[in-house]
Amino acid sequence: MSIPASQSLVSDLQKIVGHMHVYTGEESTYRFTHGFRFGSGKVLAVVQPGSLIELWRVAQACVAADKIIIMQAANTGLTGGSTPDGNNYDRDIVLISTLRLDKIHLIGDGKQVVCLPGATLYELEDRLAAIGREPHSVIGSSCIGASVLGGVSNNSGGALVQRGPAYTEMAVFGQVGEDGKLQLVNHLGIQLGNDPEAILTKLENGTFSDADIDWKAGRGHDYNYINHVREIDADTPARFNADPARWHEAAGCAGKLVVFGVRLDTFPVEKNTSVFYIGTNDTGVLEDLRRHVLTAFDTLPISGEYIHRDAFNIAEVYGKDTFAVIRYFGTKFLPKMFALKARFDIFAKKLGFLPDHLSDRIMQAVSKLLPRQLPPRMLAYRDRFEHHLMLKVSEDLAGPMLVYLREFFGKASGDFFECSPEEGKLAFLHRFAAAGAAIRYRAVHHKEAEDIVALDVALRRNDRDWFEKLPQEIEDKLIVKLYYGHFLCHVMHQDYVVKKGFDAMAVEHSMLPGLNARGAKYPAEHNVGHLYQAPQEMLDHYRQLDPCNCLNPGIGKGTKRKNWVAESV
């Protein structure tokens, strides 16, 4: 499109949402066009609609002008899935940020919710807490401000064993067909009328009654996962992003649809829970325990989180400030802290003469002034054991689990203790802090560290040799490895800090054949973004959702060209 035509589109977008909600300069668009951990590129404009009708009109204008649309909510993804990937696109990009569209409607006495595209997990968790319920995910993502829709669009996993990946069969979305026209589809299971703008007005305002709701419209979470994860002899992983069983319209769409709202199940909050902290130096002991826990009890644990001693130690030092902020101020403050950090980073970059990673280095220096945060019993286990597992169980399961663990560790090598409520809270908080510790380590040790390789890996459910053993030629290129994950699901997060002078992408590619040989799938829950090569079945799925390739092109390393034309080599 010519420059005057592009300027005309920007003017039209300003008329739709207002001048103050359209950003075009590099500085004003920086926080949208740069990913949380990966991804960046230029855009024609960033637009923040203030209503669903504005979102609809913006999308219509972009499609009519033959522009690429990238949908973005909280921009907390780890694989660059909602930011541009370089500048080698064949059309201009308009990035639509949905953060202003954050309404949440509770339906069926809160047993289900309807979330607009900018609603965050934290906001949903907060709303549901008042009625004794909780959303699909309550650990990790909710703390850093991730959106509900981002989880659904990417089939994100989480720490809660009984619920599986984020999934729904009920949504309202816009889809661009083969004719290049944007159509609104209402599969929410709620009668909202026929005219697109009337539908979106009712959806946004929640002006529908119980009589308008079809309670059998579809599944609001994956009911089958609770049985699927128990199949410990299956030769496939329990969950991974390229599993077609969990793709359905908005679920797993990866930005290939313009989603206006999703309908999801909620869950009762477990009261009087117990946490058991387990340590061992034998990976086989943990695997024997996992297999028994998943098959011998009528009820599954709420969560089962693993952390290796190296990750424990790195998180204790480099995740200390995050740990303390959540401990003393709650998760509500953390998204604000990350937002302030991002603004400071932009300011420092603009000045030019300030050192790289200044905000991380300041925060790390401040963290050294804080007192030790971890309970003595956890620290003692760190000294005794290489492998750590935290089991959180319901009140009903606590007694039988205690009996089993006493009997099990009467023979097996290792030990356990039942946490006090405060110890249990801090144990899981420490596990969360590990997720960002590698980033801080790299920032502080930027002279020694080249970059980070971050993999999330789904292991086979029957894989007894679950702990990774890297070839020495790869080990020699690494400073430190952080292993942590959702152990009962056999999903591992593996962060590697690469030594200065080595190509991190090449190091990552050298690791993949080993994972393939083990029958692992990756990514497990962060989705392919622009980091991973999607299998052909996944690319075919994206093409079916978006035949013109005008929404988030290039995802999964597919072609970025219009109508899925192959890129020249």
Side-chain angles (χ1 to χ4, degrees), residues 240-461:
F240 55 101
N241 288 127
D243 184 357
R246 296 183 180 90
W247 300 336
H248 186 89
E249 297 176 343
C253 73
K256 286 295 186 178
L257 300 171
V258 180
V259 183
F260 293 87
V262 291
R263 179 175 158 192
L264 298 158
D265 293 337
T266 71
F267 306 86
V269 173
E270 293 278 4
K271 298 179 180 179
N272 303 317
T273 58
S274 295
V275 173
F276 296 97
Y277 198 96
I278 296 161
T280 183
N281 292 311
D282 184 345
T283 58
V285 167
L286 286 191
E287 185 58 27
D288 289 342
L289 186 150
R290 170 184 169 271
R291 293 174 67 86
H292 183 90
V293 166
L294 287 176
T295 55
F297 297 100
D298 292 335
T299 304
L300 287 178
I302 298 166
S303 57
E305 293 295 288
Y306 168 82
I307 186 169
H308 184 267
R309 177 159 54 197
D310 290 345
F312 185 112
N313 290 336
I314 294 291
E316 183 188 12
V317 177
Y318 297 94
K320 189 177 182 182
D321 54 329
T322 299
F323 185 106
V325 166
I326 300 174
R327 181 180 185 182
Y328 298 120
F329 300 103
T331 57
K332 187 173 185 177
F333 182 75
L334 205 55
K336 297 176 182 177
M337 185 180 82
F338 276 100
L340 288 171
K341 179 181 181 298
R343 290 190 179 96
F344 181 85
D345 288 340
I346 294 169
F347 173 74
K349 182 180 177 66
K350 181 181 177 182
L351 290 179
F353 61 86
L354 294 174
D356 292 339
H357 311 295
L358 183 58
S359 63
D360 282 291
R361 292 159 73 177
I362 291 172
M363 293 169 73
Q364 186 61 31
V366 171
S367 73
K368 293 180 179 179
L369 304 176
L370 298 172
R372 173 165 274 177
Q373 299 293 311
L374 296 176
R377 287 203 288 182
M378 282 179 61
L379 294 171
Y381 266 49
R382 180 267 310 278
D383 296 337
R384 292 174 60 193
F385 301 117
E386 182 180 0
H387 306 284
H388 300 236
L389 178 66
M390 291 147 274
L391 284 181
K392 185 177 183 180
V393 301
S394 66
E395 184 176 19
D396 291 341
L397 186 55
M401 186 63 70
L402 178 61
V403 171
Y404 164 68
L405 291 174
R406 283 173 175 165
E407 179 182 348
F408 181 74
F409 283 108
K411 302 175 183 177
S413 63
D415 205 349
F416 81 98
F417 64 87
E418 184 174 3
C419 296
S420 69
E422 180 68 6
E423 284 176 322
K425 174 185 172 182
L426 297 182
F428 275 89
L429 180 50
H430 184 57
R431 158 61 187 87
F432 166 69
I439 300 174
R440 174 65 59 77
Y441 184 96
R442 179 196 60 180
V444 174
H445 299 279
H446 59 97
K447 292 182 179 179
E448 299 85 22
E450 183 70 31
D451 207 343
I452 296 171
V453 171
L455 298 176
D456 69 302
V457 180
L459 304 175
R460 292 176 292 115
R461 282 168 284 175

Side-chain angles (χ1 to χ4, degrees), residues 110-111 113 121 124-126 128-129 132-140 142 148 151-152 155-169 219-230 238-240 243 245-246 251 264-271 273 294 299-305 392-394 486 488-489 491 524-525:
K111 293 179 181 178
V113 292
L121 280 166
L124 179 57
E125 189 176 344
D126 194 47
L128 291 173
R133 299 188 73 83
E134 61 187 14
H136 168 271
S137 178
V138 297
I139 295 174
S142 56
V148 176
V152 172
N155 290 134
S156 297
L160 304 180
V161 181
Q162 302 174 22
R163 299 176 193 176
Y167 179 81
T168 185
E169 295 170 354
R219 294 185 294 164
H221 80 284
D222 183 359
Y223 303 160
N224 299 323
Y225 186 78
I226 196 168
N227 298 315
H228 184 73
V229 74
R230 287 182 181 267
R239 54 181 171 92
F240 55 101
D243 184 357
R246 296 183 180 90
L264 298 158
D265 293 337
T266 71
F267 306 86
V269 173
E270 293 278 4
K271 298 179 180 179
T273 58
L294 287 176
T299 304
L300 287 178
I302 298 166
S303 57
E305 293 295 288
K392 185 177 183 180
V393 301
S394 66
H486 316 306
L488 297 184
C489 300
V491 168
E525 57 186 17

Side-chain angles (χ1 to χ4, degrees), residues 550-567:
C550 54
L551 286 109
N552 213 8
I555 207 78
K557 296 190 179 295
T559 177
K560 295 176 180 176
R561 298 180 68 83
K562 185 177 179 180
N563 296 324
W564 295 86
V565 173
E567 295 177 2

Side-chain angles (χ1 to χ4, degrees), residues 105-138:
H105 304 303
L106 275 59
I107 60 176
D109 297 322
K111 293 179 181 178
Q112 289 189 337
V113 292
V114 174
C115 296
L116 300 197
T120 66
L121 280 166
Y122 173 78
E123 291 164 341
L124 179 57
E125 189 176 344
D126 194 47
R127 286 281 304 276
L128 291 173
I131 59 170
R133 299 188 73 83
E134 61 187 14
H136 168 271
S137 178
V138 297

